[in-house]
Amino acid sequence: MSIENKQSARRLLKEYAYSLGMIDKGYANRTLYIDLSGNTILEKPVTQEMKDKFTGGKGFGLKYLWDAVTPATKWNDPENEIVIANGPLCGITQYPGSGKSLVVTISPLTNMPVDSNVGGYFGPFLKFSGFDALELQGKADKDVIVFIDGNKGIVRIEEAPVDAADSHVLAEQLTEMFADSEEDKRNISVVSAGSAAEHAYIGLLNFSFYDVRRKAARLKQAGRGGIGTVFRDKKIKALVVKFVGVKGNLNHPADQGTVNRTGIKLHKEIHDLDDKQNRMRKIGTANIIEIMDEYDLLPTHNYKFGRHKDTYKINSYVFQDMVTQGMADGCWFGCSMSCAKAADNFLLKSGPYKGQKVVVDGPEYENAAALGSNIGVFDPQVVMELNFYCDTYALDTISFGTMTAFIMECYENGILNKERTGGLELNFGNAEAALELIHQISRGEGFGKIAGKGVRRMKEYFVKEYGADPAFLNDIGMEQKGLEFSEYMPKESLAQQGGYGLTNKGPQHDEAWLIFMDMVNNQIPTFEDKAEALHYFPMFRTWFGLNGLCKLPWNDITPAGNKYTSEPAKIPEHVQNYVDIFSAVTGKIIDKEELIRQSERVYNFQRLFNIRMGYGKRVHDKIPYRAMGPVTVEEYESRQERYDKQLQELLGYDPVGKSTEEKMKVMRAYREDQYEKLTDAVYKRRGWTPNGVPTLEKLKDLGMDLPEVVKVVENNL
Amino acid sequence: MKVLGKKPELCIQCHACESTCSNTWFKTDDAEKSCIRIKSSKEDAAKAEITVCTQCGECIDICPVQALTRDKSGVVRIDKKNCVGCFMCVGFCPELAMFMHEDYIEPFKCVACGQCAKNCPTDAIFIVQE
């Protein structure tokens, strides 16, 4: 059936008309609620209290999610919600990185809230259509789509009009279906998952934006925590929003001139300095592949090593030649950082789309590390193909890579074998097996069915079914709280161990990336210094998610004189930019201290949300030893000189004549103790008890002593 | 290609061009709303610097919505209907000749209309047809 015929055959389940509103100083002051079980559609007002306490974005998402669930709610219960929220700065077109959506849900991987920050046009269009957030609750009987027409003021729930399951097809077909013309396609954004999200727990959501030069629907990913899995469990095929008429003043900021001038200042900075600094406009985040390798930080073979002799085969210049240059690759208007790179006419060599030429959105650094070095694959073609299939099948590239690396180490240790994997020889570097694994996951077949559940559940399964040693699996399984680690080797940086471990959603580097500050530049030598960094940076970075912003334009470009400032790691001029644009958009004048307090309110709320769900305490902040030090003799000996020196200098322990096993034991006791000491210092700095529970004093100080929150604290002291 | 040529050495910094331009396009006498800008050189105040679009077209590839195009006579033009007001073109202009004024939500630039050249007393600016 042609797209046109399918359009006329669309079956309406519910239509809701709303009056168009006016955005006032960054807020639509209204959210949209949809219950798919009963096809109920409602509008909710945004109160001043909500804005004061939760700011927006992830703050609004977590507040709605808290109200929707109980401590007993599981990810696949109907009351679980997916909330997509934008934030007060989202949709401004002048400052780079201002089009993000924040998505929260109860995660199938962690059983508690997860949040993911994603580009594409959906978040801004949702706001221009009149809503600061969209709540999706309940479960549909059969596959549906939700369509929001932001110009006519109509929300429709329809039976899914297309059969396609995978995102690259869905986004194209739905964009075509809902646009009146080629010119109109830029006004459509589609949110979709893919076939793997129906089987795996690491399902993601793709948010589209129409690329007017490539004439293709491009995809950005809300990758972490299995949100796509929840989406398909609710039988949502896609969300479509249409908004015609984007202009630079739709947020009706209090002071448009300041927003414009601040944006232009950063555009100039990027124009003048990006080529000399990170080359974000040429290759995006992948610029750091070889730098990570150089500093021994590139996860290799399931985080055993930090570099590999073949990294040059997948370095940033190789990918730079594969992605099309000179395109305006922003995932929202006004992003002159333009890191959303893509390879055009990429020929697929495997899977259901074999032989087709496609657009591959990527590679980002995380993809290159997860789908490359971490699984021992140094073939850029394969990295790109895995990248494509992860996206279209809706698999989180980070979780897929980290869990495949775990599988490969289990395979090489005899915990898995050909019989147990159904014939897949999952040694490090076996690209063909990795590709077959991803196709199996998408079909929910064979070993793919087990793998797609993630590292934590595989550990349980391998112990139960294959009698594997749980201690070894816990040491090498790079997950914490149920979420797979992202792609940095934290082993030699205590601060980064905290940056991964002492987080709300699990080990994702979006809270703190302190490796260079700690390990390379030695700027935070004491526990107190590290604790201060592990307070400031997670709070500062949380703020992006409250406002619908991207983190990258903060520190992937730095002003010319930055290194001469008192705190170069904070990029003081850019912090002031954020203070200025927040004040200019909302009319609420803040300073850099209030910025941190806005984050602290939501951060502590999220911590207590975790505790309310039965997690979020000290015991849950422990990390696998692979993240802290050498688990195996092979690992120790690969860095023997460094480790021997540390034993001598830090512990006064003479390594001469000692076996590697003896030295490893001493090293392990020391490093585990260091992590505990760091945890003590960080909790203290954050205003938490030694068990990791935010105190009532802290909540009162922040004005977050809401009755339901206080109750959680009192029950857990 | 049609472009506004310049000979800064002839410029006496009378600012008539700025006045003409802002009056032509924005019906006001305000140098901040002019597509041509005259300022004194930092080294020698007697020397003038003339900032105006050279129609090089680098901004065309920067625009995320293809609102910048080159017309038949080679002049780079802004389609205000499609412009989303991101001002990336302002930040990326190698001549610093794309401008923003906070009274407007789109940028503005010289389209080589030639009005300013007519009012220049020293022929320091002139229309060139290449």
Side-chain angles (χ1 to χ4, degrees):
Chain A
M1 201 191 289
S2 73
I3 295 286
E4 290 72 28
N5 288 340
K6 280 183 176 170
Q7 194 166 7
S8 60
R10 277 157 49 187
R11 191 163 165 259
L12 183 68
L13 300 173
K14 173 83 183 181
E15 182 166 291
Y16 175 83
Y18 65 94
S19 54
L20 299 175
M22 176 82 93
I23 299 165
D24 182 29
K25 297 193 277 292
Y27 291 97
N29 289 313
R30 177 172 59 169
T31 62
L32 182 63
Y33 167 87
I34 298 177
D35 176 19
L36 295 156
S37 294
N39 289 332
T40 308
I41 304 177
L42 298 171
E43 293 166 57
K44 294 184 182 177
V46 169
T47 63
Q48 189 58 45
E49 193 193 20
M50 241 176 104
K51 292 195 265 189
D52 290 343
K53 297 203 185 304
F54 295 94
T55 305
K58 180 164 87 171
F60 284 7
L62 288 167
K63 193 238 177 304
Y64 281 133
L65 188 62
W66 177 299
D67 292 346
V69 303
T70 72
T73 300
K74 296 285 171 265
W75 70 274
N76 55 358
D77 285 332
E79 71 264 25
N80 188 19
E81 288 192 347
I82 295 171
V83 191
I84 302 174
N86 35 55
L89 303 189
C90 181
I92 62 172
T93 59
Q94 297 80 17
Y95 199 81
S98 301
K100 293 297 199 110
S101 302
L102 283 297
V103 196
V104 303
T105 194
I106 300 294
S107 159
L109 292 171
T110 67
N111 300 314
M112 60 182 193
V114 71
D115 58 275
S116 207
N117 178 324
V118 56
Y121 295 174
F122 192 87
F125 285 2
L126 179 69
K127 192 201 273 185
F128 301 155
S129 298
F131 304 105
D132 293 324
L134 165 64
E135 283 175 89
L136 297 158
Q137 200 175 34
K139 289 190 196 193
D141 294 333
K142 44 181 141 178
D143 282 350
V144 295
I145 63 164
V146 174
F147 172 57
I148 301 167
D149 187 322
N151 300 104
K152 291 186 183 142
I154 289 170
V155 182
R156 294 164 63 111
I157 305 172
E158 300 177 8
E159 274 186 22
V162 289
D163 303 322
D166 293 328
S167 269
H168 81 290
V169 186
L170 271 173
E172 285 291 343
Q173 286 187 349
L174 292 169
T175 300
E176 176 91 10
M177 184 178 286
F178 283 91
D180 298 331
S181 61
E182 175 65 31
E183 187 62 19
D184 194 29
K185 287 182 180 174
R186 67 182 69 191
N187 304 316
I188 308 279
S189 177
V190 178
V191 177
S192 60
S195 51
E198 292 168 24
H199 311 291
Y201 285 1
I202 59 172
L204 60 70
L205 286 181
N206 285 296
F207 282 52
S208 80
F209 66 99
Y210 192 73
D211 186 327
V212 294
R213 287 183 171 81
R214 291 181 170 89
K215 300 200 185 319
R218 303 276 311 281
L219 304 175
K220 296 298 288 180
Q221 293 74 35
R224 310 268 26 221
I227 302 170
T229 306
V230 179
F231 192 81
R232 291 302 293 135
D233 183 65
K234 293 186 177 303
K235 289 210 172 357
I236 308 171
K237 197 83 176 242
L239 312 172
V240 183
V241 65
K242 179 170 181 177
F243 180 81
V244 182
V246 174
K247 295 302 281 179
N249 61 351
L250 295 186
N251 269 300
H252 293 101
D255 172 6
Q256 181 83 47
T258 294
V259 179
N260 293 357
R261 279 187 296 275
T262 313
I264 290 169
K265 184 174 68 145
L266 191 56
H267 293 326
K268 276 197 165 71
E269 208 174 292
I270 291 171
H271 170 265
D272 294 346
L273 302 171
D274 180 58
D275 265 356
K276 295 171 208 151
Q277 294 181 7
N278 296 341
R279 294 155 47 231
M280 295 294 282
R281 290 177 56 80
K282 289 204 166 74
I283 190 54
T285 57
N287 74 83
I288 59 169
I289 298 167
E290 56 271 24
I291 300 170
M292 291 299 105
D293 186 83
E294 187 187 331
Y295 284 99
D296 210 5
L297 294 167
L298 183 72
T300 304
H301 293 184
N302 194 31
Y303 302 83
K304 275 197 265 188
F305 315 114
R307 58 166 60 122
H308 195 279
K309 65 177 175 48
D310 290 334
T311 300
Y312 74 95
K313 293 180 185 167
I314 56 163
N315 77 17
S316 68
Y317 292 92
V318 173
F319 290 119
Q320 188 170 312
D321 288 342
M322 293 172 86
V323 306
T324 312
Q325 295 295 319
M327 305 296 243
D329 284 325
C331 71
W332 174 241
F333 304 132
C335 193
S336 45
M337 186 148 263
S338 300
C339 79
K341 297 294 145 199
D344 292 296
N345 299 310
F346 183 85
L347 180 67
L348 295 168
K349 291 179 180 163
S350 75
Y353 306 107
K354 182 179 173 176
Q356 294 185 18
K357 285 187 173 176
V358 294
V359 179
V360 185
D361 293 279
E364 297 190 37
Y365 164 74
E366 297 290 328
N367 306 347
L371 311 173
S373 57
N374 213 1
I375 62 172
V377 168
F378 294 91
D379 178 343
Q381 294 287 331
V382 175
V383 171
M384 292 293 263
E385 180 137 348
L386 286 169
N387 187 157
F388 172 80
Y389 274 114
C390 273
D391 290 350
T392 198
Y393 286 158
L395 289 169
D396 174 17
T397 50
I398 295 174
S399 279
F400 175 80
T402 297
M403 93 189 191
T404 303
F406 168 74
I407 290 167
M408 288 175 164
E409 190 166 354
C410 288
Y411 193 89
E412 299 209 333
N413 278 280
I415 295 162
L416 293 172
N417 52 42
K418 260 176 100 166
E419 194 188 323
R420 288 171 181 170
T421 63
L424 299 178
E425 290 183 72
L426 284 153
N427 292 99
F428 285 115
N430 189 339
E432 210 176 307
L435 283 162
E436 181 50 31
L437 180 63
I438 203 171
H439 300 314
Q440 281 190 6
I441 294 175
S442 83
R443 300 191 299 265
E445 284 174 14
F447 184 66
K449 209 169 168 176
I450 300 161
K453 299 288 189 287
V455 170
R456 177 163 286 194
R457 285 183 175 84
M458 271 193 282
K459 289 195 299 191
E460 289 160 12
Y461 188 85
F462 296 168
V463 170
K464 195 164 149 254
E465 298 295 321
Y466 307 139
D469 172 12
F472 179 67
L473 292 190
N474 284 330
D475 278 353
I476 67 159
M478 286 293 279
E479 62 87 11
Q480 186 229 34
K481 301 182 171 90
L483 187 72
E484 285 74 20
F485 274 69
S486 68
E487 307 302 321
Y488 298 95
M489 261 261 308
K491 221 180 285 191
E492 315 303 344
S493 162
L494 180 60
Q496 188 54 33
Q497 290 162 31
Y500 269 137
L502 309 175
T503 48
N504 271 329
K505 70 168 160 277
Q508 166 76 354
H509 57 281
D510 63 346
E511 280 200 14
W513 196 90
L514 303 171
I515 297 179
F516 273 17
M517 261 186 107
D518 186 32
M519 196 181 121
V520 180
N521 301 330
N522 199 25
Q523 289 165 318
I524 43 175
T526 68
F527 285 112
E528 284 66 34
D529 295 334
K530 290 181 190 2
E532 180 57 34
L534 283 166
H535 171 69
Y536 179 82
F537 288 103
M539 297 313 143
F540 180 70
R541 285 164 168 252
T542 291
W543 195 80
F544 297 118
L546 306 184
N547 286 287
L549 298 177
C550 175
K551 163 262 159 195
L552 300 179
W554 161 56
N555 72 345
D556 279 274
I557 185 79
T558 49
N562 188 61
K563 67 179 171 186
Y564 304 112
T565 61
S566 58
E567 295 179 291
K570 292 185 179 176
I571 328 260
E573 186 181 323
H574 288 179
V575 174
Q576 189 58 42
N577 287 352
Y578 290 113
V579 167
D580 291 344
I581 59 172
F582 183 89
S583 303
V585 170
T586 65
K588 182 176 179 174
I589 308 302
I590 62 163
D591 55 21
K592 62 184 182 183
E593 285 78 25
E594 175 58 18
L595 181 156
I596 295 297
R597 284 170 67 81
Q598 289 180 330
S599 291
E600 278 189 281
R601 291 184 189 107
V602 175
Y603 196 91
N604 281 279
F605 181 81
Q606 188 170 0
R607 180 79 178 180
L608 283 159
F609 198 162
N610 290 349
I611 293 172
R612 176 182 178 231
M613 300 306 285
Y615 306 94
K617 291 190 188 164
R618 187 168 186 131
V619 63
H620 306 105
D621 283 348
K622 293 189 184 305
I623 51 174
Y625 189 62
R626 175 60 57 78
M628 304 165 80
V631 173
T632 61
V633 170
E634 177 195 24
E635 275 168 274
Y636 188 100
E637 290 178 351
S638 75
R639 297 173 173 189
Q640 179 158 345
E641 203 178 321
R642 179 205 304 239
Y643 292 147
D644 280 359
K645 196 171 155 215
Q646 284 180 2
L647 287 175
Q648 206 147 27
E649 287 178 0
L650 299 170
L651 295 168
Y653 178 89
D654 183 6
V656 177
K658 306 290 195 317
S659 71
T660 301
E661 284 82 355
E662 283 175 283
K663 291 188 286 188
M664 281 166 63
K665 209 173 147 192
V666 176
M667 177 65 89
R668 180 166 185 153
Y670 170 72
R671 289 196 172 195
E672 287 180 337
D673 179 58
Q674 291 279 298
Y675 186 77
E676 293 305 318
K677 289 195 170 104
L678 178 73
T679 305
D680 285 333
V682 172
Y683 285 0
K684 192 176 159 208
R685 176 62 187 89
R686 289 182 183 172
W688 297 354
T689 70
N691 198 22
V693 182
T695 60
L696 284 179
E697 294 70 37
K698 184 75 195 173
L699 293 183
K700 279 183 188 150
D701 177 51
L702 294 169
M704 288 302 281
D705 49 336
L706 307 162
E708 65 273 25
V709 181
V710 168
K711 208 173 115 194
V712 175
V713 176
E714 285 171 348
N715 290 343
N716 286 281
L717 280 177
Chain B
M1 190 170 85
K2 194 175 165 198
V3 62
L4 190 76
K6 57 185 181 184
K7 286 184 181 161
E9 64 275 17
L10 299 181
C11 177
I12 54 168
Q13 303 183 45
C14 71
H15 299 276
C17 54
E18 293 171 342
S19 179
T20 305
C21 183
S22 61
N23 269 308
T24 303
W25 294 97
F26 296 108
K27 311 291 172 223
T28 180
D29 191 350
D30 181 352
E32 295 295 309
K33 293 183 180 179
S34 167
C35 304
I36 181 168
R37 305 287 169 95
I38 307 299
K39 65 174 184 186
S40 307
S41 161
K42 273 181 193 152
E43 290 79 40
D44 179 358
K47 280 190 182 166
E49 285 175 4
I50 303 173
T51 300
V52 71
C53 177
T54 62
Q55 314 299 339
C56 75
E58 277 202 28
C59 54
I60 294 172
D61 290 339
I62 298 297
C63 179
V65 290
Q66 296 181 316
L68 287 157
T69 50
R70 195 182 286 285
D71 72 10
K72 283 193 297 253
S73 55
V75 172
V76 176
R77 292 186 175 272
I78 303 169
D79 169 7
K80 287 193 181 172
K81 190 172 109 341
N82 273 331
C83 172
V84 292
C86 71
F87 301 115
M88 291 203 296
C89 51
V90 176
F92 276 67
C93 175
E95 302 291 330
L96 304 178
M98 183 75 84
F99 299 104
M100 182 280 290
H101 190 286
E102 65 183 75
D103 287 352
Y104 312 108
I105 56 173
E106 294 99 6
F108 51 94
K109 68 180 287 298
C110 171
V111 293
C113 73
Q115 293 302 314
C116 57
K118 285 181 194 163
N119 288 348
C120 177
T122 61
D123 291 337
I125 45 177
F126 42 87
I127 289 294
V128 180
Q129 294 271 9
E130 288 171 359

